[in-house]
Amino acid sequence: MTTRRALLASAALAPVLRAVPRGSSPTAAQEATPPAATPTGAPVPVTGQALPGLEGFDPVMTAAMTKWNLPGGQLAIAWGGRLVVNRGYGLADVDRQTPVQPDALFRIASVTKTITTVAILTLVDAGKLALADRAFPLLALEPAAHATRDPRLDQITVEELLVHAGGWDSNSSYDPQYLPWSRMAAATVGLADPAEATTIVRYMLGVPLDFDPGSKSVYSNFGFNVLGRVIERVSGQPYAEYVRDHVLTPAGVLDMRLGRTRREDRAPGEVFYYGPPGQAARPSVFWGEGY
């Protein structure tokens, strides 16, 4: 498989971005607040420069936001190597009626999998990693005490992780990135809760695979957790630092960062997040901190 094919295969399996993903993980979305939106009939605020001939995008965006009860959003369009549309719509903070700015920060959820894929491919291009390398022998992590290891784990390649063919199917078992399984991972390995990414990987060393690696492709959050640890092992840098130095900075992306869980820890300029009507509140990953 070429690096281009690996990137395309990974990107093709990324889910459509939603304001708050189902079963949001600590790094994917903050604690949801009660649903709110611009009141019916009130104009949706629009920020950013309007360029002549491109005004038609504004009613499309505002109509979509009204239809789906979305408090805020952004639209950016590049053409011919330059940014031609960069607009903010609606409210970044409903309580304070703060408009979304064109440079406001939004979480991109599983679109980060494409960024992780690019980071892996930079290591491949540098000759430090091969798509055929087996991921778990490379990581050499210790499982939890008394765990029974599935021998198929050691056959999973980097390529299979990139195309969601590592052997995990959360529809037939569970997704260890989410509660309550992440809390179980911390307790089983005997480390702090909320579980670090590596803690979850160590816990999963004692959980049987759902299918033979490479036999089919099933979307997997956990497989990309493993790829993040591969990046750290091969590069010798924390995931965020390697991505910043080798993916984002060369592309001119200077403001992207890892999200934090608590609302008060959100990044400067980051919007607030609102759950859709009827969505049940979920417990915080920080024990005893409410919903």
Side-chain angles (χ1 to χ4, degrees), residues 147-227:
T148 300
R149 188 183 180 108
D150 189 325
R152 296 174 295 177
L153 281 168
D154 289 335
Q155 305 304 312
I156 301 170
T157 66
V158 171
E159 177 183 328
E160 288 166 343
L161 294 174
L162 286 171
V163 298
H164 300 268
W168 303 282
D169 183 351
S170 60
N171 291 318
S172 61
S173 55
Y174 55 86
D175 189 333
Q177 301 298 133
Y178 299 139
L179 291 174
W181 310 109
S182 60
R183 185 157 288 151
M184 180 181 291
T188 302
V189 177
L191 293 174
D193 178 49
E196 297 285 349
T198 300
T199 300
I200 295 175
V201 176
R202 290 183 58 196
Y203 164 73
M204 290 297 287
L205 292 175
V207 177
L209 293 176
D210 298 308
F211 59 88
D212 290 337
S215 62
K216 60 180 179 178
S217 181
V218 180
Y219 189 82
S220 174
N221 289 311
F222 175 68
F224 271 75
N225 178 349
V226 178
L227 286 169

Side-chain angles (χ1 to χ4, degrees), residues 33-53:
T33 54
T38 304
T40 302
V44 175
V46 182
T47 60
Q49 184 179 2
L51 296 181

Side-chain angles (χ1 to χ4, degrees), residues 41-100:
V44 175
V46 182
T47 60
Q49 184 179 2
L51 296 181
L54 298 176
E55 302 90 344
F57 289 107
D58 289 350
V60 173
M61 282 291 292
T62 56
M65 291 172 60
T66 300
K67 177 180 179 180
W68 297 108
N69 195 32
L70 302 177
Q74 289 170 316
L75 176 66
I77 300 175
W79 180 262
R82 68 188 181 94
L83 192 62
V84 296
V85 173
N86 189 23
R87 305 276 267 167
Y89 301 88
L91 301 174
D93 182 339
V94 172
D95 292 336
R96 292 180 174 85
Q97 293 289 292
T98 305
V100 173

